[in-house]
Amino acid sequence: MSDLARNAVVVPDGPLPALPPSTWESGEVRDAVAAESPGAVVAIARKAHGLRQDELGTLAGFSQSAISRLESGSNIAYDLRVLRTLQRLLGIPAHLLGLTDRTVPMRSGDVVVGLEGKALMALCASAVFNADSDDDAVSQLLVLRRIVNDAHNWRATGALMPAVRGMYDVIDTLRRNARGDVRRRLLGTGAMYAEFYGWLYEEVGDMRSAGAWTSRALEQGQAADDRDVVAYCYVRMSQLAEVDGDDDRVIGLARAAQRETGVSAIVRAMAVRQEARGLARAGLDACMTRFDLAQSLVQDVERVRTDEYSIGYCFTELHVEMQRAASMVALADHRRAIDAYTALMPRWGSVCQWEQGVHTATLAYAHAASGDVDRAAELGLVALDLARVTGSQLIFSELARLVPWATTPAMAELTERLR
């Protein structure tokens, strides 16, 4: 047999067979769980299925090097979404990887991972036309908005864009024919879809369309008198202003969001965090007091368990602290940023993949700027894997900051793969 044939990636024709229960009762698995090593559990399951790392990577949509790093215990092993994908694929009992059920019903979370645009639109139509009342229809549309938001953590952006646009169009048609409070609620719900569609455009690097859809969301939010939508759209516009390097607009738009009355504490926290981000970009140490305020606002939020989407439903103290660490990099306080990021790493798995990728790339830059190019290259490869899984141009843009070190031997693999 030739080396080429021997090393070819073999992908099973159908679903992987269930492993016998005795697999999960072995001493090897018990030791891995006791050591809090999800990567080791994945390795055991992979081998039990007779798969090589590259074969598992092909099935799961990850690179062989990502599987290797996960199994060896690198930070990617704390990515809950990567673990969830492998857990389902390999049939690993969720608790062995430290995973629990989602708050969104599993019927939604499970199904949406494999759905394409037409199927998601069918779900949207079903939610509307099978609802018992107009209020119930709007509620179901908000549940779907949360489902596609969660799906964004699993699927590349391009797979969701046609579906989200189609779902927005359905809602927009409904609101044009509605009256009274139902029309207002549909306006606000449509605004949430429009904002998300703008976000998806930003992720693929189309800033013009991102701005246009965010502006549309703002207008609909104003028409619906939904203050959370209006304030959050100002936050999103502030984030888009970062691309232009206009720090004054970044800060001004974040402050405009805070001037909105009747805004929820969680949206106000997001606005304050964005202001802090702008202050850091402008080189102002005052950003840290704003991060303190954002953190205190998040701590005081009372979370309501619901399947419906609401702005900031997954925003936590961790998001504030990760951005605080990134702001230390912006202030050129690289050693302090490295320490802050390192302390947060075990918790990174609770944020979405694109955000992990951006912060991993930022941490890579901090290490490079501090002289540790080897560590920067290692983190850069992790970020690159996340960029390819998500298709997020935001991660690639952050990795571009490593260009000054591109010709160093340590960066050779990352530089080659970025090409």
Side-chain angles (χ1 to χ4, degrees), residues 359-375:
H359 284 288
T360 301
T362 302
L363 178 56
Y365 174 80
H367 276 286
S370 297
D372 190 350
V373 182
D374 289 335
R375 179 59 174 156

Side-chain angles (χ1 to χ4, degrees), residues 284-321:
L284 301 174
D285 290 332
C287 66
M288 293 303 165
T289 59
R290 302 307 285 171
F291 279 122
D292 291 340
L293 175 57
Q295 185 179 34
S296 67
L297 286 169
V298 174
Q299 289 173 337
D300 292 340
V301 170
E302 292 186 12
R303 305 284 178 174
V304 178
R305 293 182 65 86
T306 176
D307 295 338
E308 294 184 9
Y309 175 83
S310 62
I311 296 172
Y313 76 93
C314 56
F315 188 77
T316 66
E317 292 178 59
L318 180 59
H319 293 90
V320 177
E321 291 309 300

Side-chain angles (χ1 to χ4, degrees), residues 93-157:
H95 69 278
L96 297 180
L97 297 178
L99 301 174
T100 57
D101 290 339
R102 295 168 172 265
T103 55
V104 174
M106 291 303 291
R107 57 178 174 81
S108 303
D110 284 342
V111 170
V112 79
V113 178
L115 291 180
E116 298 301 336
K118 290 182 179 179
L120 280 170
M121 287 175 62
L123 269 179
C124 183
S126 175
V128 173
F129 296 113
N130 293 332
D132 294 330
S133 65
D134 290 336
D135 285 342
D136 187 49
V138 175
S139 176
Q140 289 300 312
L141 289 170
L142 288 172
V143 171
L144 282 173
R145 174 65 181 86
R146 179 160 176 172
I147 289 172
V148 295
N149 204 80
D150 288 344
H152 179 236
N153 297 326
W154 292 79
R155 304 294 302 277
T157 299

Side-chain angles (χ1 to χ4, degrees), residues 12-313:
D13 294 331
L16 295 176
L19 294 172
S22 58
T23 302
W24 317 119
E25 299 167 2
S26 68
E28 190 179 15
V29 169
R30 287 199 301 271
D31 290 344
V33 172
E36 297 183 353
S37 178
V41 177
V42 169
I44 293 166
R46 172 182 62 78
K47 293 172 184 176
H49 279 291
L51 295 172
R52 301 196 308 261
Q53 288 180 340
D54 56 341
E55 292 170 335
L56 176 58
T58 298
L59 284 171
F62 306 128
S63 67
Q64 183 275 329
S65 60
I67 299 297
S68 175
R69 285 196 293 277
L70 181 144
E71 292 185 357
S72 65
S74 78
N75 293 324
I76 197 173
Y78 291 103
D79 184 337
L80 297 187
R81 291 156 184 91
V82 172
L83 288 179
R84 182 71 75 175
T85 299
L86 296 175
Q87 178 252 319
R88 287 173 171 148
L89 180 63
L90 297 171
I92 304 171
H95 69 278
L96 297 180
L97 297 178
L99 301 174
T100 57
D101 290 339
R102 295 168 172 265
T103 55
V104 174
M106 291 303 291
R107 57 178 174 81
S108 303
D110 284 342
V111 170
V112 79
V113 178
L115 291 180
E116 298 301 336
K118 290 182 179 179
L120 280 170
M121 287 175 62
L123 269 179
C124 183
S126 175
V128 173
F129 296 113
N130 293 332
D132 294 330
S133 65
D134 290 336
D135 285 342
D136 187 49
V138 175
S139 176
Q140 289 300 312
L141 289 170
L142 288 172
V143 171
L144 282 173
R145 174 65 181 86
R146 179 160 176 172
I147 289 172
V148 295
N149 204 80
D150 288 344
H152 179 236
N153 297 326
W154 292 79
R155 304 294 302 277
T157 299
L160 285 177
M161 290 187 74
V164 174
R165 175 57 193 270
M167 294 161 84
Y168 171 83
D169 288 342
V170 169
I171 296 168
D172 200 50
T173 299
L174 289 172
R175 67 96 181 165
R176 290 171 186 268
N177 294 285
R179 295 291 182 270
D181 189 58
V182 172
R183 183 186 182 94
R184 182 190 62 78
R185 292 188 67 199
L186 285 169
L187 269 169
T189 303
M192 294 180 191
Y193 277 86
E195 177 278 315
F196 186 48
Y197 197 46
W199 166 250
L200 295 177
Y201 267 119
E202 182 181 358
E203 277 219 305
V204 298
D206 185 345
M207 304 308 296
R208 182 174 180 179
S209 296
W213 278 92
T214 305
S215 295
R216 180 181 296 199
L218 174 63
E219 292 169 1
Q220 288 194 204
Q222 290 170 330
D225 196 26
D226 189 322
R227 310 327 296 173
D228 271 5
V229 169
V230 171
Y232 185 60
C233 285
Y234 282 132
V235 171
R236 289 289 299 120
M237 289 177 172
S238 174
Q239 293 170 347
L240 292 173
E242 293 182 37
V243 179
D244 296 329
D246 192 336
D247 297 338
D248 290 334
R249 288 190 67 236
V250 173
I251 296 168
L253 286 164
R255 288 176 175 171
Q258 295 171 59
R259 287 194 293 271
E260 289 293 320
T261 58
V263 174
S264 66
I266 198 69
V267 174
R268 189 167 300 281
M270 297 171 83
V272 173
R273 185 193 71 156
Q274 180 60 21
E275 179 193 1
R277 182 167 165 165
L279 291 169
R281 287 172 53 88
L284 301 174
D285 290 332
C287 66
M288 293 303 165
T289 59
R290 302 307 285 171
F291 279 122
D292 291 340
L293 175 57
Q295 185 179 34
S296 67
L297 286 169
V298 174
Q299 289 173 337
D300 292 340
V301 170
E302 292 186 12
R303 305 284 178 174
V304 178
R305 293 182 65 86
T306 176
D307 295 338
E308 294 184 9
Y309 175 83
S310 62
I311 296 172
Y313 76 93

